[in-house]
Amino acid sequence: MRKEAVVVSVAVAAAVVGVAVGLRQWKRRSERRWRQTQRILRKFARECATPVPKLWHLANDLASDMQSGLAISDYQPNLRMLVSYLSPLPTGDEKGLFYGVNLRGANFLLLRARLGGKNEPISELHREEICIPSDVMNGSSKQLFDCIAVELAKYISTHSEGTESTSARQRELGFTISYPVDQVAASSGTAVKWKSLAVDDTVGKELVNDMNQALEKHGLDMRVFALVDDAIGDLAGGRYYNKETIAAITLGMGTNAAYVETAASVPKWNDPLPKSGELVINTQWGSFTSSHLPITEFDASLDAESSNPGKQIFEKLVSGMYLGEIVRRVLLKMAKETAFFGETVPAKLTTPYLLRSPDMAAMHQDTSEDHEVIDEKLKEIFGISNSTPMVREVIAEVCDIVAERGARLAGAGIVGIVKKLGRIANKRSVVTMEGGLYEHYRVFRNYLHSSVWEMLGNELSDNVIIEHSHGGSGAGSLFLAASQTQNTDS
């Protein structure tokens, strides 16, 4: 019995020692993996850093590219700098009831509102979103404009104008699209890129004429005078409220910038100039690129695997379409190399673009003690139910790095536009902002504002005023309708 007891004791002791050794090995492996996670995080943060000197390099490069894009040249500039609007912008005195259309991807907005003049705000604003049928999305431009005209006729009949409906004056219809257009005259446009709409047969045609024919066909006494990018519509809205508005920035799923340029500064424009002496330029700044852009391995792989590799580099760093995807790629590397989410890589984490920017913003702005929102989003999006508070803290940091970089790059872009116009030191400039990324992502918005302040300092930062657009999505089409209807300088 005594010998058996000794054997059992030795076996128990060996088992205890084995467990202890196993625990030590597991602990060392876990610490090693955690250190590797921290190395990945720190390297990513370093490569995404946007110190003020780098931001100034980018602002200077953007201003230089803008200048090149306006010049007469035989090469394709980084920024196309499209002359996109000739008619006068609003003055703030416009009054009356106006209609607008905002064409966006798979749907369009119909809008109606009243302007009160003397910089009064929009009133009686009404929007209706119409989904574009699949056969129309895959059809011709004629089908698309017929669809819009039919729905617009229904919309107008449903929302009676009362006594104003008897007016003999033909109404101007503001029309904005979410993709850039190159306008060669105030009454014609050519689609450059429609993205999600398969209506390539519109390229090179006079879209305005097509739309006007559809309006006439369906008995609408309206006329479209210009098809413009929605950033130009936002610029018109900014001008209605403040004559010092010089630019409009879209920061949503995509990004773009439009601004007011003096006609004398556009050598490539050879046609008659408007009496105002101003041209509205669609920069298409999503295509901006520079050796100073902080591009990481994750951005490089995203670009290489995209549908347009080597293009829209600035957009891929700044816009809402890509921010969540960059975060996902960082987390995937951690999952593969450091067992960040356990020994098995979560299957859904390998799915591109599964993490949307609104979800990223919700995780980033989670202020609960243990990041409970992050925990919920991980379960909901990726099926990850075993995250720890430490893991969720790292995820919050990744979101912060990506958002801060994107916002500060956008801020540098704003300063670049103001610099191009020579307005930093001695003129007040208002920049109007539109898009869900700016409107709903509070931390992103704060980073953008602070970057402009850091670049310009206390003395000059007051010269650049950044404010949210008036009226919300699509409202720019109403301001364009008002300016064309009541101003004849075109």
Side-chain angles (χ1 to χ4, degrees):
M1 290 293 294
R2 190 174 299 171
K3 187 180 294 184
E4 291 176 0
V6 171
V7 170
V8 170
S9 297
V10 170
V12 169
V16 169
V17 170
V19 169
V21 170
L23 284 173
R24 283 197 300 273
Q25 291 176 341
W26 175 84
K27 186 177 180 180
R28 282 197 296 269
R29 186 169 65 251
S30 297
E31 290 174 348
R32 188 166 58 250
R33 287 173 170 175
W34 186 251
R35 286 194 298 272
Q36 176 61 11
T37 297
Q38 292 297 316
R39 280 194 290 271
I40 293 173
L41 182 65
R42 288 194 299 271
K43 181 175 183 287
F44 182 57
R46 284 195 307 272
E47 293 177 349
C48 287
T50 50
V52 169
K54 180 182 282 288
L55 294 180
W56 269 112
H57 282 307
L58 290 166
N60 293 335
D61 285 353
L62 180 70
S64 176
D65 283 358
M66 290 171 68
Q67 186 68 46
S68 298
L70 295 175
I72 300 172
S73 61
D74 295 329
Y75 74 97
Q76 181 67 42
N78 286 333
L79 299 179
R80 293 195 64 187
M81 302 295 286
L82 305 177
V83 179
S84 295
Y85 190 68
L86 301 178
S87 296
L89 291 168
T91 63
D93 295 329
E94 292 79 8
K95 298 175 68 174
L97 193 66
F98 301 100
Y99 288 88
V101 175
N102 178 220
L103 178 59
R104 324 180 297 173
N107 61 64
F108 57 89
L109 291 178
L110 301 177
L111 303 97
R112 189 189 93 154
R114 187 179 302 279
L115 298 182
K118 299 300 180 186
N119 305 315
E120 288 296 317
I122 288 181
S123 62
E124 303 174 34
L125 175 62
H126 184 272
R127 287 187 186 85
E128 187 170 321
E129 182 178 311
I130 308 293
C131 290
I132 301 173
S134 58
D135 60 325
V136 175
M137 286 188 67
N138 295 310
S140 67
S141 61
K142 194 174 293 279
Q143 287 176 284
L144 174 64
F145 293 137
D146 272 349
C147 174
I148 293 173
V150 167
E151 294 297 336
L152 183 61
K154 294 179 187 175
Y155 182 76
I156 292 174
S157 65
T158 302
H159 303 89
S160 173
E161 301 177 26
T163 57
E164 293 188 61
S165 63
T166 61
S167 172
R169 172 179 56 81
Q170 183 184 53
R171 290 195 174 278
E172 303 290 355
L173 176 66
F175 201 122
T176 58
I177 62 176
S178 297
Y179 320 115
V181 295
D182 187 2
Q183 193 165 308
V184 296
S187 60
S188 67
T190 302
V192 174
K193 194 171 185 180
W194 286 84
K195 294 184 180 178
S196 58
L197 280 175
V199 286
D200 289 341
D201 55 337
T202 60
V203 176
K205 294 181 179 180
E206 292 190 343
L207 301 179
V208 170
N209 288 342
D210 290 348
M211 186 64 214
N212 284 333
Q213 288 174 12
L215 292 172
E216 184 178 355
K217 173 183 174 181
H218 295 283
L220 290 167
D221 190 21
M222 288 182 162
R223 181 179 73 95
V224 173
F225 61 91
L227 281 166
V228 297
D229 181 90
D230 48 7
I232 296 166
D234 295 332
L235 180 58
R239 269 292 175 94
Y240 176 81
Y241 287 97
N242 195 321
K243 292 179 176 61
E244 294 176 317
T245 298
I246 55 97
I249 311 297
T250 300
L251 278 172
M253 293 301 284
T255 184
N256 196 18
Y259 77 103
V260 181
E261 183 64 89
T262 57
S265 300
V266 189
K268 70 179 182 180
W269 183 258
N270 297 315
D271 292 333
L273 298 174
K275 294 178 184 178
S276 66
E278 294 180 336
L279 299 175
V280 176
I281 305 298
N282 173 3
T283 68
Q284 293 190 287
W285 79 352
S287 63
F288 172 61
T289 188
S290 164
S291 61
H292 298 289
L293 285 173
I295 295 174
T296 70
E297 63 183 274
F298 307 102
D299 305 300
S301 65
L302 182 153
D303 176 54
E305 296 167 19
S306 70
S307 60
N308 56 347
K311 298 179 180 179
Q312 299 298 108
I313 301 301
F314 190 66
E315 185 169 70
K316 288 169 181 172
L317 297 173
V318 169
S319 74
M321 174 66 76
Y322 301 101
L323 298 186
E325 173 62 7
I326 297 168
V327 171
R328 184 197 68 84
R329 287 172 180 264
V330 176
L331 299 183
L332 179 61
K333 176 168 183 169
M334 291 177 175
K336 288 179 175 179
E337 297 186 7
T338 74
F340 189 58
F341 294 111
E343 298 297 331
T344 304
V345 175
K348 289 185 176 181
L349 190 61
T350 63
T351 304
Y353 296 94
L354 194 58
L355 180 60
R356 298 165 55 251
S357 292
D359 294 317
M360 168 192 164
M363 293 195 298
H364 185 192
Q365 297 175 152
D366 178 12
T367 57
S368 60
E369 185 175 351
D370 288 331
H371 295 296
E372 294 169 4
V373 174
I374 294 179
D375 188 37
E376 293 170 5
K377 289 294 182 183
L378 289 175
K379 292 174 184 175
E380 171 191 333
I381 299 167
F382 299 118
I384 297 171
S385 58
N386 60 341
S387 66
T388 66
M390 291 176 65
V391 163
R392 298 195 286 270
E393 181 65 34
V394 169
I395 293 171
E397 288 188 50
V398 173
C399 292
D400 188 67
I401 292 167
V402 172
E404 182 178 19
R405 179 185 65 171
R408 288 173 68 84
L409 293 179
I414 291 172
V415 173
I417 291 175
V418 179
K419 175 183 171 61
K420 162 64 182 69
L421 293 173
R423 300 177 64 97
I424 286 179
N426 54 10
K427 292 183 179 179
R428 187 174 185 269
S429 300
V430 177
V431 178
T432 186
M433 309 292 296
E434 172 59 19
L437 195 60
Y438 181 83
E439 182 178 357
H440 302 300
Y441 199 158
R442 172 181 46 79
V443 177
F444 185 98
R445 182 171 64 248
N446 291 343
Y447 276 139
L448 185 151
H449 283 263
S450 66
S451 68
V452 173
W453 180 86
E454 286 179 36
M455 291 181 72
L456 300 180
N458 283 330
E459 293 183 4
L460 299 178
S461 59
D462 288 343
N463 290 348
V464 179
I465 310 301
I466 301 173
E467 57 183 35
H468 188 243
S469 65
H470 300 271
S473 178
S477 60
L478 299 167
F479 293 107
L480 290 171
S483 66
Q484 179 67 15
T485 298
Q486 298 189 0
N487 297 300
T488 59
D489 174 22
S490 57

